[in-house]
Amino acid sequence: MVREGGRGTDGKTGRRRAPGRRAVLLGGLGVAAAAAVAGREEIARAWWLLPGVAKPRKEGELDHAAASWTAASPANWRLADRPDDYRVDRIVVHVTQGGFASSVDAFKNPWHKASAHYIVRQDGHIEQMVRELDVAFHAGNRSMNERSVGIEHVGFVDRPKDFTDAMYASSARLAADICRRYEIPADRTHIVGHSEVPGADHTDPGRHWDWDRYVGLVQDALRAGPGVS
């Protein structure tokens, strides 16, 4: 049943009125403006994808102040200018399935063909191996690699004792720092496990990784503000 005189209807017939010219014009202008903004953004991103266009960078410069630096082999990551060429809107959580030294050595090995931006140890130490500007080969998915920061955690998926309080706390502060800088929501849509990446054949971080605890710690660190440990 159609009510007479209802909002958006003809009071005599009860039929819905067609939008007026002004509404159509304003709506069209809104769409055009949105398209123009999107178009400018894509043009800006295309500029940063041109050969020879690159941001200035310094070897060993850190993105997270609490980290130390060891460079991964250039064969294990790709030069980029994020977030200007590729948006950064995901964090991918990994587990190394090995020790700290062996993981660092693997990322330094050009034959390994994989790396992550960070490795977090059980004692909370953080090693950065790829700049966040650049695309680390960590997720097994090109699109996810381009849009994400990869954080490795030293340990084995079937050993819950490897995921220490110090590791959770340090990694959460790191993740919060990343979320803050790229305006990434601190939730399970934007902070994902390697096993959740489309096409992934890995199982990490596994069933012993406490997602509720981790995301809660990230949110707490965000509320505490930058520079608070």
Side-chain angles (χ1 to χ4, degrees), residues 101-176:
S102 62
S103 300
V104 170
D105 286 345
F107 290 171
K108 290 167 61 179
N109 182 351
W111 300 104
H112 188 62
K113 303 302 181 187
S115 65
H117 296 91
Y118 297 97
I119 302 176
V120 183
R121 215 162 52 194
Q122 276 101 356
D123 62 359
H125 172 82
I126 299 172
E127 199 74 15
Q128 182 169 3
M129 300 197 67
V130 179
R131 288 293 310 278
E132 291 175 17
L133 285 167
D134 299 319
V135 177
F137 303 154
H138 65 97
N141 177 302
R142 182 185 177 110
S143 176
M144 184 62 77
N145 284 342
E146 290 172 346
R147 73 191 300 178
S148 66
V149 174
I151 305 176
E152 288 276 3
H153 298 82
V154 176
F156 293 85
V157 296
D158 58 352
R159 291 201 322 211
K161 67 178 183 179
D162 289 345
F163 307 142
T164 64
D165 293 345
M167 173 183 281
Y168 274 117
S170 182
S171 180
R173 288 192 293 270
L174 167 60

Side-chain angles (χ1 to χ4, degrees), residues 2-18:
V2 179
R3 294 181 181 176
E4 290 191 19
R7 188 175 179 181
T9 63
D10 185 309
K12 295 179 180 179
T13 66
R15 297 192 181 113
R16 186 172 295 276
R17 290 194 297 266

